[in-house]
Amino acid sequence: MMPGLADATRPDATQVDATRPDATQGTVDTAGTTARQGRSVAIPVPRPAPTQSQYAASAGSQLRWLTVRHLRALLRQPAYLAITIVQAVVWLPLFGSLFRHVVEVPGFGGGSYFDFLTPGVVVMSALFSAGWAGMRVIVDIDRGVMDRMLASPVRRAALTSSALVYQVVVTTIQSTIILLLGWAVGTHYRNGLVGPVVLLIAAALVAVSVAALSNALALIVRKEDVLIAAVNFCILPLTFLSSAIMARDLMPGWMQVIAHVNPVDWAVSAARESGSVDPDWGSVSVHLVLLAALAVVAATLATRAFDSYRRSL
Amino acid sequence: MTTHPAPAHAGQPPASSTAQLSDPQNPVAPTSTTAADTGATTAEPAPTAEPAPTAGPAAEPGTATTTSARPGGQLAIQARDLVKTYRGGIRALDGLSFGVAPGTVFGLLGPNGAGKSTTVKILTTLSRPDSGSATVAGVDVLTHPSQVRRAIGVVTQRSGVDLEATGRENIALAAHLHGLSRAELNDRVTELLDRFELVKAADRLARTYSGGMLRKLDVAVGLVHRPSVLFLDEPTTGLDPQARAQMWDEIGSLATDGLTILLTTHYLEEADRLASQVAIIDGGRILVEGSPDELKSDLRGDAVHLELATVPDAAVVAELTVALGQVAGVTATTVDGREVHTRVTHGASSLPAVFAAFERVNVAVVTATIARPSLDDVYLRHVGRRFVAGAESSDQHLGTSKEVA
């Protein structure tokens, strides 16, 4: 902070400097300067002109503030968080009672259905909320926020990754709420905190992948109704073609084949396995690595879509 | 459009506003900053480039240099032969060139679809031209876009305000993204809120703002990093007359602060009032360029506008045009529906003869107005039709136009 700048921003000097560009300072003509001196005695200290390079934000700082922007908007919509909680509150008992007896079916493996269901509901919730991530992109494009960002020194990486970081934060909050609710209705976390932690990681990876794909689609189609249709089209099959609410062994053969390549199933399987009494860590790692790889691919696609948006301007 | 408020010439700020350029911006800074450095943001070639040999005298501290007098290459904005074709073969820009002197307001005037927004997109690094080149604040927009982005403020047609954030948060976000220091940031935000009279509404969501307040917030956000060039893309479109007048005052005061402003508008009055230099653009080309006064004086004489009782048919139009052409002092005639526009060397003294010409061809005149030429008349002269704000180019071409003499 230069001493001169402190003066410039004093309340009484506000009007004086509010809009003065740094750049024209060298071009002030002598006569004008003389005339000005009478009016600007409040700022007697000569100060160096701010140059363009005076302002430079790190990518980390930009990422942080762009993420804060989204989170602040989220906190202003308590209804959204409330609905998420209510949704989990409804889903757990709903599916819980509906399928209570499937655990007795041979091949399911026994145990409490809530034990089985809680990871499924966590991943479903992550999937649902990340699916709509693209809506924020479309609103930003429509409002002109995107163009303003692109004409500013905001790094493109900060712009794209802030949406994903935000989604991870939201998903982690959501998942934690559901895990607590599950615990309240009687879910056993047999392997201590290991299961829930792996579940949070898996849900976050699903959220990143799905949000990145949703953002990519939003940047390409730029229409809310198309995005809504696409998300609706994808989410339910992804849920039901996984072991989120039904054991894989009880699915028809063709569904089992699909489930093997369904990221929702990877996440649920990794979480269930790690939460069991004697986890098969090989299987957990494979599933987590697959999810991470998908997240990288999806983020790359989103970056490509972003480039194509910029080219279309 | 018959009144002519003096255009705000940025180079001649009224005495009351001189305080806004406070002298402590003494280029002789107590740092190692050289003369070339301080001048670089507006006038010199890209900061990365070596100081040009000519930089010395132009940027020498204390030299009474009028920026507009500088040779080419030191312009705040320079566009050369910009061509841009969108998918579907729409040619938005067709060899557009112009230059803007530092510290002036340049008005880019034209109907929707003329290429104004495309020009702004290219100059603000949002879009790339198919061919041609441009520099802003001395930096090439194609090769050094990120340097350009630091030097410019952009207020686009579609706003850019986050409606789910408060006014204060919007300005603060821009400040964070530009990297203002923590110490400076709060002061700067308060300063801008104050400057644009948004203090009371500062902590309300932007969603609750009126159109005029949103526009002001837009400009405040665009100024947070003290840019040297400000782009205002149709800043008053959609505002009510009162908000528009307020916005004009704001832009006028920005201009007196020495900022270089590129203003696009389809309001002739706006360009006439704010810009010291105007280019009329249509079909992606500059049709004519000059100061509003130059353009108007090019028209020679007065504009005489007459309104007819009925829309004349083509034969009558032809007769009328010939009859008016024979009147001494009449230099041009344009018939546009029921309206007849003539250029007359001395409007008042020629009026009886003009009326006589109408009588000869049996056309009844309802009203007649004599006016000093406005930019509207400049537009009429160069585009061949009246300027209708927001109208697509050809829709309003109701009557026939013909140049006489």
Side-chain angles (χ1 to χ4, degrees):
Chain A
M1 184 80 183
M2 285 166 286
L5 281 172
D7 286 333
T9 47
R10 268 162 39 172
D12 59 332
T14 295
Q15 183 97 11
V16 172
D17 281 79
T19 53
R20 176 190 39 68
D22 48 30
T24 52
Q25 292 160 9
T27 64
V28 170
D29 61 290
T30 326
T33 307
T34 314
R36 270 165 214 130
Q37 272 164 352
R39 296 293 300 267
S40 44
V41 281
I43 316 167
V45 186
R47 63 179 170 208
T51 58
Q52 282 173 33
S53 54
Q54 180 188 348
Y55 299 133
S58 68
S61 160
Q62 290 180 339
L63 172 60
R64 174 179 157 208
W65 288 106
L66 289 170
T67 309
V68 165
R69 174 194 162 215
H70 288 306
L71 286 172
R72 207 149 42 192
L74 174 72
L75 291 178
R76 294 224 167 91
Q77 295 177 316
Y80 179 84
L81 278 179
I83 289 168
T84 303
I85 296 168
V86 170
Q87 186 170 283
V89 171
V90 171
W91 279 359
L92 275 174
L94 184 75
F95 291 123
S97 344
L98 185 63
F99 294 112
R100 182 154 26 112
H101 296 294
V102 291
V103 287
E104 293 154 20
V105 174
F108 200 95
S112 150
Y113 185 65
F114 281 122
D115 294 0
F116 180 83
L117 184 64
T118 303
V121 170
V122 166
V123 176
M124 270 170 79
S125 299
L127 177 69
F128 275 55
S129 73
W132 302 114
M135 296 297 273
R136 282 187 294 277
V137 173
I138 292 177
V139 169
D140 274 358
I141 291 176
D142 287 346
R143 282 297 311 169
V145 175
M146 183 67 85
D147 285 2
R148 192 197 276 280
M149 296 283 177
L150 289 177
S152 81
V154 173
R155 285 175 183 73
R156 304 333 182 225
L159 206 52
T160 42
S161 47
S162 69
L164 304 182
V165 172
Y166 163 81
Q167 201 62 50
V168 168
V169 174
V170 169
T171 298
T172 305
I173 295 171
Q174 260 185 354
S175 305
T176 307
I177 291 170
I178 299 168
L179 282 167
L180 290 172
L181 281 169
W183 176 72
V185 297
T187 304
H188 304 90
Y189 300 114
R190 292 176 201 287
N191 198 9
L193 284 178
V194 175
V197 167
V198 171
L199 177 55
L200 288 180
I201 294 170
L205 288 170
V206 167
V208 167
S209 307
V210 174
L213 292 174
S214 177
N215 288 345
L217 188 65
L219 285 162
I220 292 164
V221 301
R222 290 172 226 169
K223 287 197 182 70
E224 294 189 355
D225 46 1
V226 179
L227 185 72
I228 290 171
V231 171
N232 279 334
F233 177 80
C234 294
I235 280 184
L236 279 184
L238 276 173
T239 307
F240 288 103
L241 293 173
S242 78
S243 57
I245 54 175
M246 182 55 67
R248 201 194 288 157
D249 290 346
L250 296 181
M251 295 177 183
W254 63 273
M255 274 198 191
Q256 291 189 30
V257 173
I258 295 175
H260 273 295
V261 293
N262 181 349
V264 175
D265 192 69
W266 301 341
V268 175
S269 304
R272 280 205 191 111
E273 190 59 45
S274 61
S276 67
V277 183
D278 181 21
D280 172 0
W281 287 110
S283 156
V284 172
S285 322
V286 166
H287 283 133
L288 288 182
V289 166
L290 281 172
L291 282 171
L294 177 71
V296 169
V297 169
T300 311
L301 278 176
T303 310
R304 291 273 170 83
F306 196 72
D307 290 341
S308 101
Y309 171 79
R310 283 163 60 193
R311 275 195 303 274
S312 74
L313 285 172
Chain B
M1 195 70 56
T2 53
T3 54
H4 300 281
H9 288 285
Q12 310 148 12
S16 63
S17 59
T18 50
Q20 292 175 336
L21 266 176
S22 45
D23 65 312
Q25 296 124 35
N26 185 353
V28 196
T31 65
S32 63
T33 316
T34 65
D37 285 335
T38 49
T41 42
T42 4
E44 301 303 327
T48 49
E50 288 174 29
T54 55
E60 202 170 292
T63 312
T65 318
T66 46
T67 51
S68 53
R70 292 182 177 190
Q74 308 205 328
L75 296 164
I77 301 174
Q78 186 156 37
R80 290 181 216 91
D81 298 322
L82 294 178
V83 174
K84 174 83 180 177
T85 308
Y86 283 112
R87 267 178 290 188
I90 302 155
R91 182 156 270 218
L93 297 183
D94 190 12
L96 187 98
S97 301
F98 65 92
V100 180
T104 64
V105 180
F106 188 90
L108 209 50
L109 188 63
N112 286 345
K116 302 188 300 287
S117 289
T118 306
T119 308
V120 170
K121 278 182 183 169
I122 290 173
L123 294 175
T124 57
T125 76
L126 277 180
S127 183
R128 294 175 72 89
D130 301 341
S131 66
S133 64
T135 60
V136 172
V139 184
D140 191 310
V141 296
L142 294 176
T143 56
H144 298 94
S146 51
Q147 277 179 36
V148 171
R149 290 178 195 133
R150 281 165 199 248
I152 61 173
V154 185
V155 179
T156 60
Q157 260 181 73
R158 282 185 305 171
S159 179
V161 161
D162 180 0
L163 295 180
E164 306 305 330
T166 66
R168 189 188 302 280
E169 286 164 0
N170 265 291
I171 301 176
L173 176 66
H176 282 300
L177 296 179
H178 275 99
L180 268 72
S181 68
R182 223 163 238 293
E184 194 181 353
L185 188 132
N186 285 333
D187 288 344
R188 182 67 178 149
V189 172
T190 313
E191 191 181 327
L192 285 167
L193 286 169
D194 202 31
R195 164 81 174 72
F196 289 95
E197 293 162 9
L198 291 170
V199 175
K200 274 188 197 159
D203 296 310
R204 265 166 47 199
L205 289 189
R207 177 173 290 294
T208 65
Y209 283 22
S210 69
M213 290 162 76
L214 275 179
R215 260 340 195 169
K216 286 184 184 175
L217 180 57
D218 260 327
V219 178
V221 169
L223 290 172
V224 78
H225 55 298
R226 305 177 196 273
S228 66
V229 179
L230 182 66
F231 291 88
L232 295 173
D233 195 4
E234 302 195 4
T236 64
T237 299
L239 295 188
D240 60 58
Q242 195 193 344
R244 175 172 305 151
Q246 278 186 15
M247 199 68 210
W248 282 351
D249 289 345
E250 296 291 357
I251 298 170
S253 84
L254 292 177
T256 55
D257 286 355
L259 196 58
T260 305
I261 299 179
L262 181 80
L263 170 80
T264 79
T265 180
H266 51 220
Y267 298 113
L268 291 148
E269 196 187 347
E270 188 164 296
D272 199 356
R273 185 172 157 156
L274 296 170
S276 56
Q277 197 76 4
V278 170
I280 294 180
I281 168 175
D282 198 23
R285 287 166 170 279
I286 302 268
L287 297 180
V288 61
E289 189 186 336
S291 74
D293 287 343
E294 275 166 17
L295 294 182
K296 284 183 277 187
S297 64
D298 273 359
L299 289 176
R300 289 196 309 273
D302 301 322
V304 177
H305 304 291
L306 302 116
E307 196 185 335
L308 308 181
T310 54
V311 177
D313 60 35
V316 176
V317 169
E319 268 184 72
L320 184 59
T321 309
V322 171
L324 284 169
Q326 288 162 353
V327 175
V330 172
T331 54
T333 299
T334 312
V335 183
D336 191 2
R338 274 174 49 191
E339 292 172 28
V340 179
H341 309 286
T342 58
R343 310 250 91 251
V344 186
T345 315
H346 296 290
S349 57
S350 302
L351 205 52
V354 169
F355 281 137
F358 277 89
E359 254 167 55
R360 273 205 300 284
V361 293
N362 273 327
V363 175
V365 175
V366 182
T367 62
T369 329
I370 303 176
R372 295 286 308 139
S374 67
L375 272 182
D376 204 0
D377 298 303
V378 176
Y379 189 88
L380 178 69
R381 153 93 183 264
H382 290 279
V383 187
R385 57 182 186 266
R386 282 203 79 70
F387 189 93
V388 180
E392 284 301 327
S393 344
S394 54
D395 296 355
Q396 301 298 324
H397 196 9
L398 301 169
T400 51
S401 320
K402 193 170 178 183
E403 285 280 327
V404 181

